[in-house]
Every structure is written in structure tokens, then in C-alpha cells.
Amino acid sequence: MKLYEFQAKQVFASKGIPVPRGEVAATAQEARAAAERLGRCVVKAQVHIGGRGKAGGIKVANTPTEARDYAQAMLGKPLRGLTVKQVLVEEALDIDREYYLAATIDRTSKRVVLMASAMGGMDVEEVAANHPDAIIKHPIDPAYGPMDFEIRAVMTRAGFDAKASRAIGTIAKQVYHVMLDSDASLVEINPLVVTGAGTVVAADAKFEVDDNALFRQQALAAFREDSEEDPIEAEAHRRGATYVHLDGDIGIIGNGAGLVMTTLDLVTRAGGRPANFLDIGGGAQADSVREAIEIVLMDPNVKGILFNIFGGITRGDEVAKGILAGTESIKIKVPIVVRMAGTNAEEGRELLEGTNLVPAAGPIEAAEKIIELAKR
Ligand code: GDP
Ligand code: MN
């Protein structure tokens, strides 16, 4: 799960990482009022993508009226395809230097790796591509956490201004601890600004939390609803479903993440385009199957549904009952192909006989069938 910049900055502030004074606004009037309190400010579109500066989503406003006008121009409009629902109005900074500071998980070393560069700011992607040496990477030993000498070495290698190093070193440690405390997979500050007065502030924030840790990250989970862009995903998650919205037209429902991923591949290989990923999990009961159909059909692009069920814990007859219950209680106008194997698959298939659900012997046949039926 990605946090919005303003949410990430709330987390930063709560952990002692300095951030600019700022307020979130959902209307142009609110932005104006915020600017009256803040003085010269920047208006920042809140969307889950970087490069907002280059796309026109970051504007410096000299007066409250200007702030209102910039907010007006951003709110409700798309920025690189994502609708801007809120802006963050922040005190403008007197920027002397722009650095890059981040922590992420490195799967090879199985450690949190700290990253630092003196070439921060809007072109860091270009720096990463053309001057990879300018980004210093340092894995942290989880037994000790970041040691002062290591952090000093990283900052020296990165070429950070010596006068700002004490403040940045503290922030680097905080970033590491925020990472662990929040079960984050990425914490990125770009730019980390050194002001004309020599203070250091996190002017931007990117923050990604491991979805699987949200059960123990109540405070972060509360951000979830607000941070979701896709209304169908938001509704699916409210209902507790493991659902990812895709842009095709074949709805996919299966049990087990691996099986569902494979089904997406099979449909794609057969020339179709999956509309979603939906894993009903192990031991799925009739109710959750019906719910799954409802969720998949919230997407108006869906022209057919493919069920791929392997019975282990999940019993074929249970799933069949769920599919029947689902087809009874909601009007389904699209074809449904069902492939079932494993525990009680035979019983499941028998239950589906005489209905308008199309059985398939194997997963490949199932993929081909649903693509064919969806075309009609
Ligand atoms: P991004 O383009 O989505 O990464 O958004 P950032 O928050 O990083 O802002 C982009 C750029 O705006 C920064 O790299 C700064 O160079 C520039 N900028 C100019 N004035 C300010 C300011 O007062 N605050 C912030 N945050 N950025 C500013
Ligand atoms: Mn940035």
C-alpha cells in the first residue's frame, strides 16, 4: 500500500523527522485559507506517482489567491491519469541543496539498504540511469541497526555537505527505524532539502507499506481507504477480498494466489485479457464465492468469468454451491466457465449440470472457452 505524501509526512512528524508546516485541502477555498496561515507556499497535488513537479502538480504560490487558483486548477483533474482529490499546501522552502535519502528492502542481502545521493531532486531517475555511482547504497546489519560510523561513511561518500551531516545522520537513523516500525518496503525522501539557513527538512515523501503487515499496523491501515485510487479495489478490500483490478475483460476467480496468477497467464497466452485477480483463498464457502462474483461484476468491462478451482481444503461441491447461489441471487448476463479439480470436484460438477455454467476439463481449455464465449 502506498501512502500519500501528506500521510507519509504525518508518520515522519510523529517519528521526529522534520517536515515543512503544511495543511491538506480538498477544495480551492481550503487551500486559500491554508495559504493565509502559511504565507508563501507550495501547492502539491496528492497522487500516487512521482514526477509531479514535471507534470505541473507542484506550484509555488506567492499569495493566498494564487494558492487558491493553483488548487482550483489541480483539484478534480487528472495528473498523469490519476484524479487529484486533495492538495497539500506547505510553507515554501528556501532551498539551498536537494539531496536524496531512502531506505528499501534488498532481497539479495536480505537487509534494509540505505540509499543516499547528493544529486537529489526532480532528476533522480536520470541520475540512477546515467550516474548509478552517484547513489550510495549501504545494507544495514539487522542485529546492530545503523551505526553512527556507517552513516557518516555513507554521507561522506554521497558528498553531503559536512555542516548538514549531523542533522542528516539523525534523519537517516529515523528513516531506518520508521521502516522497521511501520513494516514499510520503501521510505524515500526526495528532495531532502538543506535550506539557506542550514536546516534540513523532508520536502517530499514516498512511503510503501507491506499489505500483509496491515493487520498489525492499525494506524497505517486507517490510511488505506483514503489512499486507494480504484473504487472497485476499495470496495473489494472493505469486503475482505484479495482483489486486484486489471484492465481486461475476462474476470478471473480462483483459490490460491499461485493458481490465480497461473490462470491470468493462461488467459493471456490464449489471447485474452484478464479483468482482475481474485483469490477466494482456501476453504472458501458458498458465501465468499457469491461475494467474489459480485465483486468481479462491479467492473462493467467484464464480459465473462473464469473459475479455476483446485480442491484441496476448498471442496468442489462447496464452490459449486457458491456459484449457484451467486447466479441465483444476482443477475448475471455474462458467460461463466468453471474448471474444477481435486477434492469433491466430481460432486461439484454434478451440481452444476443442467445450469448455464460451462464446465471445462482443464485450465487451458477453460481459458480458451471463456475467451470464445466472451466474444459473443
Ligand atoms: P515530485 O516531483 O512528485 O517528486 O514532487 P516534489 O515534492 O519532490 O517537488 C518537486 C520539486 O519542486 C522539488 O524537487 C523542488 O525542486 C521543487 N520545489 C520548489 N520549491 C519547493 C518547496 O518550497 N517545497 C518543495 N517540496 N518543493 C519545492
Ligand atoms: Mn520528489
Side-chain angles (χ1 to χ4, degrees):
M1 175 181 86
K2 290 180 182 171
L3 300 194
Y4 283 119
E5 177 192 7
F6 77 89
Q7 297 171 330
K9 283 178 168 169
Q10 282 173 22
V11 178
F12 282 4
S14 74
K15 304 283 179 181
I17 298 175
V19 295
R21 287 187 304 132
E23 294 179 32
V24 190
T27 65
Q29 279 315 319
E30 283 172 23
R32 171 195 247 280
E36 261 155 19
R37 289 183 282 269
L38 293 163
R40 189 167 173 273
C41 59
V42 276
V43 179
K44 312 183 76 180
Q46 297 299 288
V47 282
H48 290 307
I49 40 156
R52 293 166 300 166
K54 285 182 177 165
I58 309 283
K59 297 283 184 191
V60 180
N62 291 302
T63 65
T65 315
E66 265 181 46
R68 182 201 62 195
D69 293 346
Y70 284 132
Q72 184 74 51
M74 289 176 197
L75 287 164
K77 312 249 166 41
L79 190 74
R80 289 222 184 133
L82 297 173
T83 307
V84 180
K85 293 187 216 138
Q86 287 159 312
V87 294
L88 175 61
V89 183
E90 269 185 355
E91 60 174 334
L93 300 170
D94 167 23
I95 299 177
D96 182 26
R97 308 268 166 89
E98 297 193 32
Y99 293 155
Y100 175 91
L101 184 68
T104 187
I105 291 165
D106 175 41
R107 286 164 195 269
T108 310
S109 62
K110 299 179 190 156
R111 289 178 179 194
V112 169
V113 57
L114 269 185
M115 296 185 286
S117 175
M119 296 169 81
M122 292 210 267
D123 293 315
V124 79
E125 286 81 9
E126 190 264 331
V127 172
N130 299 328
H131 311 277
D133 296 347
I135 299 177
I136 305 304
K137 299 189 176 132
H138 183 78
I140 303 295
D141 189 324
Y144 301 105
M147 308 285 262
D148 288 344
F149 73 88
E150 296 182 282
I151 289 185
R152 276 199 298 274
V154 168
M155 291 190 297
T156 307
R157 283 167 62 206
F160 285 171
D161 177 12
K163 287 199 287 296
S165 285
R166 186 179 292 270
I168 298 176
T170 306
I171 295 172
K173 268 200 223 168
Q174 284 161 323
V175 163
Y176 177 83
H177 291 295
V178 168
M179 180 94 188
L180 295 199
D181 292 350
S182 309
D183 289 307
S185 48
L186 173 75
V187 176
E188 184 187 273
I189 305 176
N190 183 40
L192 180 67
V193 162
V194 182
T195 67
T199 56
V200 182
V201 256
D204 190 12
K206 255 198 205 169
F207 204 115
E208 293 180 18
V209 185
D210 185 340
D211 287 352
N212 295 308
L214 287 177
F215 75 95
R216 62 179 189 192
Q217 294 290 347
Q218 302 293 323
L220 298 174
F223 285 141
R224 180 167 200 161
E225 194 139 322
D226 199 27
S227 75
E228 269 169 333
E229 297 287 346
D230 186 302
I232 301 178
E233 283 188 0
E235 176 60 22
H237 295 157
R238 261 194 294 282
R239 298 185 184 197
T242 310
Y243 173 92
V244 180
H245 195 185
L246 304 169
D247 58 6
D249 57 8
I250 307 288
I252 312 280
I253 301 173
N255 60 328
L259 185 65
V260 179
M261 292 296 274
T262 308
T263 312
L264 298 182
D265 286 350
L266 289 173
V267 166
T268 306
R269 194 174 67 174
R273 285 164 50 80
N276 67 275
F277 170 104
L278 201 168
D279 173 15
I280 55 174
Q285 303 293 303
D287 271 354
S288 54
V289 178
R290 183 174 40 72
E291 185 119 82
I293 298 176
E294 279 176 12
I295 290 168
V296 166
L297 288 177
M298 284 194 278
D299 176 356
N301 293 329
V302 170
K303 295 204 180 72
I305 299 177
L306 171 53
F307 269 90
N308 193 2
I309 303 296
F310 189 88
I313 309 168
T314 306
R315 287 160 36 217
D317 53 336
E318 262 303 321
V319 178
K321 279 181 202 155
I323 299 176
L324 290 171
T327 38
E328 268 163 28
S329 58
I330 16 175
K331 275 220 157 40
I332 303 180
K333 298 195 192 81
V334 302
I336 299 183
V337 170
V338 183
R339 179 261 172 163
M340 233 185 259
T343 310
N344 291 6
E346 195 52 49
E347 289 85 339
R349 276 197 294 270
E350 273 167 24
L351 282 170
L352 296 181
E353 253 169 47
T355 69
N356 48 9
L357 303 164
V358 183
I364 296 175
E365 183 194 312
E368 286 164 355
K369 265 191 179 165
I370 191 62
I371 293 168
E372 190 49 44
L373 290 170
K375 278 184 194 152
R376 293 190 193 151

